[in-house]
Amino acid sequence: MNTENKETELKKSLNFIESIIEEDLKNNKNNGEVYTRFPPEPNGYLHIGHAKSICLNFGLAQSYNGKTNLRFDDTNPEKEDVEYVESIKEDVNWLGFQWEGEPRFTSDYFDQLFEWAVKLINTGYAYVDDQSPEEISSQKGTPTQPGVESPYRNRSIEENMNLFIRMKNGEFKNGEKVLRAKIDMTSPNMHMRDPIIYRILHKEHHRTGDKWCIYPMYDFAHGQSDYIESITHSVCTLEFEIHRPLYDWLLNHLYTDGTIRPRQIEFARLNLSYTIMSKRKLLELVEENLVSGWDDPRMPTISGLRRRGYTPASIRKFAERIGVAKRDNVIDVALLEHSLRDDLNKTAPRVMAVLNPLKIVITNYPEGKEEFVSIENNPEDESMGTREMPFAREIYIEQDDFMEDAPKKFFRLAPEKEVRLKAAYIIKCEEVIKDTEGNIIELHCTYDSESKSGSGTEASKRKVKGTLHWVSAKHAVNAEVRLYDRLFNDEDPAGHKEQDFKEFINPDSLQVLSGCKLEPSLRNANPESRYQFQRLGYFCVDRRDSKQENLVFNRTVSLKDSWSKKNK
Ligand code: ATP
Ligand code: MG
């Protein structure tokens, strides 16, 4: 391959944002620096969509030896809270990223933003409007019809300055006046029709207290904050594409030569099937107690995914797999689950757990005898070693691994039938014990004492159709197991005009099992540690509710995708 071909070959594997950055680097734009930021508004917990943006912004900086700021976009004191600030920091760190220096806050820039507003007034590019927000919006026109100029548009610079200072000094009530950029009421872009850039809001701010009663609007704060921080590439979601002319217009009027000028680049936000991603709707679920909180393991929040048992690596891998698109699309949530299984398959130790126990007494096994069987921790990774599991006369198996009137193809336990107990012996069901109502309460079996797995005897190599997981009754650890499933049973729960998204909540999204029996090695399992319960799925120790004397496990994900079959 010649060099030119090699170069095009390399280019093909870049996403469109990387191509832009490489072009900039080639031209030594921004002194060869790459500086990105992640700018959440602290008005809710981060979700998987934000994770996509985090991986993208921090990932770009990592690829190009750059830096990333964490900036709280805290211009709306009505909805914001320190609880959210703390959770956001924790989530970004948990995902595996570290921002440059201290976290930034847009509110730290309120003085500078105010000065810039003054500059716009002084140069004739901003004016105070006395009309109500309703009047202003009624004059905005439509995309095909020009707007109407405000009667206050041509106030003198002196009058505007005077009024703006008085706005700042708290002389007016909420909504009585606003500051607008003076751009063009006939622009085909509605955002350029003299947008409001400052509003009056008598409300304490969680950081600036009562210092301000005027607050900058998002569009006035965002680009300028990028500029203050010398951000080179300001990556945001597609809905801001239409704001870009305003972003650039403001910079044109405030930019000083020789400084870094940020460039806004838009990509398609992540939409996931079976998932709600609006912070407002997620808040509704929390406030109406339809979930146990922002970190309920069914929530698509980062803290929910974490509690569910997701690994940071699986989320980063997912973000990488889906890539960055320029057009809106919907990603199948099965792909996220697939990334998780992929990761856990390699990293999670296999253990035995019985969720719905059925007792077995092995009648020919000596009473009081105990022995150990050896079992691999993960056949995918020998370096994870083996462990010893106790075996004794009484064990538990899963209730649905036994059937009294079994059909031919049932390869588990049935009267007169044999199965192998994983890593242990072959047993045969001899007798079914029932209570007075006819419910099966235990099974009496016999074992083939020569058939111990790995013992090398003829009987140990004997083939039987089924292999079951089991736990020694005497040694078992009790646990509560929470079986989580998708929160919604509709592919697009928010996409129905006539029906509320909450009507699509999956009634089976949580099933709590108590009295589950786990192998004894799990007695001291640490919060958040993840396991494969053999034949059942991946599970993790709940980081909130699990106690050593009262273990709680969450089902992270089943072994296979059962949803795709359900719907086909
Ligand atoms: P809202 O502004 O309605 O409160 P938001 O989801 O846009 O909600 P922000 O806190 O403003 O929340 O988002 C922070 C960053 O995360 C923004 O840069 C935003 O573009 C990005 N982001 C938000 N949702 C997604 C998503 N679904 N996919 C990718 N990026 C997202
Ligand atoms: Mg937003």
Side-chain angles (χ1 to χ4, degrees):
M1 209 187 284
N2 64 33
T3 351
E4 203 177 305
N5 275 352
K6 238 185 204 154
E7 244 174 50
T8 42
E9 191 65 30
L10 269 176
K11 268 209 183 104
K12 262 192 217 146
S13 61
L14 298 179
N15 67 46
F16 77 97
I17 302 179
E18 291 165 338
S19 303
I20 292 173
I21 292 180
E22 297 218 345
E23 191 64 27
D24 288 347
L25 289 176
K26 213 166 79 190
N27 298 328
N28 200 33
K29 201 178 158 190
N30 311 315
N31 312 318
E33 277 182 39
V34 175
Y35 206 156
T36 59
R37 86 285 171 267
F38 173 64
E41 184 180 354
N43 63 349
Y45 280 62
L46 298 181
H47 53 58
I48 182 72
H50 296 113
K52 159 90 210 174
S53 172
I54 292 168
C55 292
L56 179 59
N57 278 296
F58 284 89
L60 287 169
Q62 280 174 357
S63 304
Y64 296 103
N65 231 337
K67 296 182 278 198
T68 306
N69 283 352
L70 171 62
R71 182 200 312 145
F72 291 99
D73 175 19
D74 57 348
T75 52
N76 182 359
E78 282 185 312
K79 289 195 200 148
E80 295 157 7
D81 199 278
V82 275
E83 176 196 348
Y84 299 134
V85 170
E86 291 311 312
S87 76
I88 289 170
K89 289 197 270 189
E90 189 178 341
D91 289 348
V92 174
N93 280 155
W94 179 76
L95 275 177
F97 299 108
Q98 185 55 56
W99 49 87
E100 176 70 18
E102 291 296 312
R104 325 281 161 128
F105 291 84
T106 303
S107 55
D108 291 342
Y109 310 143
F110 282 171
D111 285 298
Q112 172 71 74
L113 293 169
F114 177 78
E115 267 176 47
W116 275 329
V118 166
K119 181 173 179 187
L120 286 185
I121 295 172
N122 275 329
T123 47
Y125 286 109
Y127 62 96
V128 172
D129 197 331
D130 296 0
Q131 300 178 104
S132 68
E134 294 74 36
E135 276 171 299
I136 292 174
S137 89
S138 74
Q139 295 164 353
K140 272 244 150 152
T142 66
T144 50
Q145 256 182 339
V148 176
E149 291 191 356
S150 161
Y152 301 96
R153 196 172 199 262
N154 295 313
R155 276 179 157 150
S156 69
I157 289 177
E158 290 68 35
E159 193 182 359
N160 280 319
M161 268 314 299
N162 176 276
L163 288 171
F164 188 52
I165 299 290
R166 288 174 61 199
M167 277 169 69
K168 176 184 183 247
N169 291 343
E171 290 185 33
F172 306 111
K173 290 202 278 296
N174 290 355
E176 231 177 282
K177 294 197 176 355
V178 291
L179 185 69
R180 297 176 72 178
K182 192 170 180 176
I183 309 181
D184 180 4
M185 289 306 288
T186 65
S187 169
N189 183 334
M190 303 279 288
H191 293 279
M192 299 295 274
R193 294 185 186 172
D194 292 9
I196 296 173
I197 56 176
Y198 258 95
R199 58 173 177 154
I200 299 171
L201 186 64
H202 291 272
K203 172 95 193 167
E204 279 216 3
H205 186 282
H206 68 103
R207 286 179 63 87
T208 59
D210 59 5
K211 179 172 176 191
W212 297 92
C213 62
I214 55 171
Y215 290 96
M217 301 302 287
Y218 171 86
D219 279 322
F220 191 70
H222 193 80
Q224 278 79 284
S225 299
D226 286 342
Y227 180 43
I228 291 169
E229 294 175 10
S230 299
I231 299 304
T232 55
H233 299 86
S234 175
V235 179
C236 63
T237 37
L238 275 183
E239 68 271 24
F240 292 103
E241 189 170 13
I242 193 145
H243 296 242
R244 184 165 12 107
L246 179 55
Y247 185 103
D248 289 333
W249 185 93
L250 287 165
L251 283 180
N252 285 344
H253 287 84
L254 305 171
Y255 180 77
T256 312
D257 278 339
T259 53
I260 298 269
R261 187 183 162 122
R263 168 176 178 182
Q264 177 179 310
I265 306 169
E266 307 86 15
F267 73 102
R269 65 169 46 232
L270 167 66
N271 300 304
L272 269 186
S273 63
Y274 294 94
T275 309
I276 291 283
M277 222 119 55
S278 139
K279 278 194 235 174
R280 189 179 53 75
K281 293 197 173 82
L282 294 175
L283 180 63
E284 231 175 289
L285 293 172
V286 174
E287 285 183 338
E288 293 176 28
N289 292 317
L290 295 165
V291 293
S292 67
W294 282 100
D295 70 349
D296 184 296
R298 292 164 293 180
M299 289 283 269
T301 51
I302 296 179
S303 52
L305 294 170
R306 172 176 181 178
R307 200 172 154 196
R308 178 78 171 256
Y310 272 78
T311 59
S314 66
I315 296 175
R316 291 195 303 262
K317 188 83 194 167
F318 168 72
E320 189 186 309
R321 278 197 182 129
I322 57 177
V324 275
K326 280 190 187 177
R327 296 266 164 275
D328 275 318
N329 58 2
V330 180
I331 304 285
D332 190 342
V333 71
L335 201 64
L336 176 64
E337 294 163 351
H338 173 75
S339 291
L340 179 61
R341 284 191 192 97
D342 229 28
D343 187 16
L344 293 178
N345 180 43
K346 292 182 210 107
T347 56
R350 266 85 157 150
V351 294
M352 300 225 235
V354 175
L355 302 190
N356 296 295
L358 170 61
K359 193 180 224 178
I360 288 185
V361 180
I362 303 169
T363 52
N364 61 340
Y365 193 90
E367 260 178 83
K369 181 178 170 181
E370 285 174 26
E371 67 182 298
F372 285 92
V373 303
S374 178
I375 182 162
E376 300 173 282
N377 289 327
N378 189 341
E380 298 283 321
D381 181 357
E382 270 184 24
S383 73
M384 288 171 75
T386 58
R387 70 187 183 289
E388 302 288 304
M389 250 184 85
F391 185 85
R393 185 178 150 94
E394 295 190 357
I395 60 163
Y396 292 111
I397 63 163
E398 245 12 283
Q399 282 168 19
D400 63 8
D401 278 338
F402 174 77
M403 248 177 131
E404 203 172 9
D405 296 304
K408 259 211 166 114
K409 292 248 153 115
F410 187 77
F411 296 131
R412 293 171 267 168
L413 198 59
E416 301 297 311
K417 289 273 161 51
E418 281 189 326
V419 290
R420 174 168 292 284
L421 296 172
K422 172 94 183 161
Y425 296 97
I426 294 173
I427 57 167
K428 181 176 178 190
C429 177
E430 309 281 359
E431 195 182 347
V432 181
I433 313 292
K434 296 182 182 172
D435 64 12
T436 48
E437 279 154 33
N439 301 310
I440 299 173
I441 48 172
E442 65 181 45
L443 304 177
H444 286 181
C445 297
T446 51
Y447 84 124
D448 176 350
S449 62
E450 292 297 303
S451 66
K452 190 171 180 179
S453 294
S455 64
T457 60
E458 280 309 306
S460 73
K461 292 175 200 150
R462 195 148 67 77
K463 290 264 179 295
V464 286
K465 283 258 163 65
T467 302
L468 306 185
H469 63 275
W470 54 274
V471 172
S472 159
K474 180 176 163 192
H475 304 92
V477 183
N478 287 320
E480 174 179 317
V481 175
R482 299 173 181 171
L483 299 179
Y484 289 104
D485 202 348
R486 293 182 186 170
L487 184 54
F488 294 99
N489 53 20
D490 187 87
E491 259 182 68
D492 184 13
H496 299 262
K497 280 218 180 75
E498 308 291 316
Q499 285 157 287
D500 188 78
F501 74 99
K502 286 171 287 183
E503 289 179 35
F504 299 97
I505 290 183
N506 175 7
D508 303 319
S509 62
L510 171 59
Q511 195 193 340
V512 180
L513 302 176
S514 54
C516 303
K517 303 288 182 183
L518 315 181
E519 65 166 76
S521 73
L522 292 174
R523 190 181 306 278
N524 298 315
N526 290 320
E528 297 204 89
S529 43
R530 306 169 181 89
Y531 300 90
Q532 185 193 105
F533 287 1
Q534 293 224 315
R535 299 175 64 226
L536 299 175
Y538 294 99
F539 293 75
C540 73
V541 183
D542 189 82
R543 63 190 287 250
R544 295 253 174 274
D545 299 340
S546 191
K547 303 276 172 307
Q548 208 171 10
E549 63 286 4
N550 198 0
L551 286 174
V552 178
F553 277 76
N554 297 329
R555 178 167 69 194
T556 304
V557 69
S558 54
L559 286 178
K560 290 205 178 82
D561 179 9
S562 54
W563 283 78
S564 62
K565 270 180 264 147
K566 245 185 239 182
N567 295 306
K568 296 233 157 89

